[in-house]
Amino acid sequence: MNITLNGERRSITGPTVADVLAEIELAEARVATALNGAFLPAARRADTTLKDGDSLEVLSSMQGG
Amino acid sequence: MPVFYGHQIDSALMLGTAQYPSPAVLAQAFRQSGAGIATVSLRREGGEGQAFHALIRDLGVAVLPNTAGCHSVREAVTTAQMAREFFDTPWIKLEVIGDHDTLQPDVVGLIEAARILTDDGFQVFPYCTEDLSVCARLLDAGCRVLMPWGAPIGSGRGLNNPYGLRSLRAHFPDVALVVDAGIGLPSHAAAAMEMGYDAVLLNTAVAKAGDPVAMARAMALAIQAGQLARSADPIEARDMAAPSTPLFGKAVLE
């Protein structure tokens, strides 16, 4: 299916958010996720299924003022 | 030393982590500054996030995540929720930006977001203006810290409205107040501390200085000086001169 991942259109297998993180090699990384503009807690990634057109944001710690 | 939501911090300097020439300079600047709190952001993971997180953890200071760049209440609230999970802290530096050019806070959105977040258990550090009624509303919304701007973010203009900042200090003597943004020189930071502010948050003035490590130290010393001066009860300024050397005993030589 096609989703928007961090602003870029991507073809992914999924079907869950946890699967996508594994696909992009971030399964072990410390990240925060949002699905379609809403916070998605880490505990819900494994049972949250994506659908075509979804928008997933995968964020991490960066420089900030 | 400042107390934020029951936590005493050993330094009145809060330092940002952006715009340093290198991670090594960032780390050295932090060591020289003695800062007790580091501000950080959440951005799209592009492969650098994990190493950066490790670098910040190794600084051994408290972490204050921000909602920088958020222009709506919803965006700021979602970012705060993500930050709480990622950094494992209820602290959030709440920014709801209202204007692209000045990065002035959208104070209406800020109050709304602050209320939503405090109701949800967050401990909010709102980046606000020095407006007394806005600050009162933020306190009503549950904020126990206020962070009025000195001047627009990154401008280095110092304290644009000393009267307003002094007035805010006088109105809320028991609230933790931080001058956040606009500091360019150590003298600006010292002035904020002399006014009785609990802390100063700055980033660009150190990170973009020719020698960030030296400037970090200069800021630390200025803040310490300002803090000491405040507790030493400074004299009032006056219009006319008052001789400091005694007149009594002066010889008549004419």
Side-chain angles (χ1 to χ4, degrees), chain B residues 9 12 37 68 91 94 114 123 141 153 160 172 210 250:
Chain B
I9 304 295
I37 293 178
W91 284 8
L94 182 62
Q123 296 174 339
I153 296 170
N160 259 352
F172 302 111
K250 183 184 175 296

Side-chain angles (χ1 to χ4, degrees), chain A residues 61-65, chain B residues 15-20 26 30 38-43 52 56 64 66 68 93 95 201-203:
Chain A
S61 177
M62 288 295 157
Q63 293 83 350
Chain B
L15 193 56
T17 58
Q19 300 182 302
Y20 292 83
L26 184 161
F30 262 84
T39 53
V40 292
S41 71
L42 273 183
R43 290 291 181 262
F52 182 74
I56 298 302
L64 176 61
N66 68 27
K93 174 181 165 180
E95 294 184 37
L201 200 172
L202 56 93
N203 188 159

Side-chain angles (χ1 to χ4, degrees), chain A residues 30 37 42 57 60 63-65, chain B residues 17 41 43-44 50 66 85-86:
Chain A
R30 190 174 181 91
E57 293 281 348
S60 181
Q63 293 83 350
Chain B
T17 58
S41 71
R43 290 291 181 262
R44 287 168 171 167
Q50 308 303 306
N66 68 27
E85 182 188 81
F86 187 96

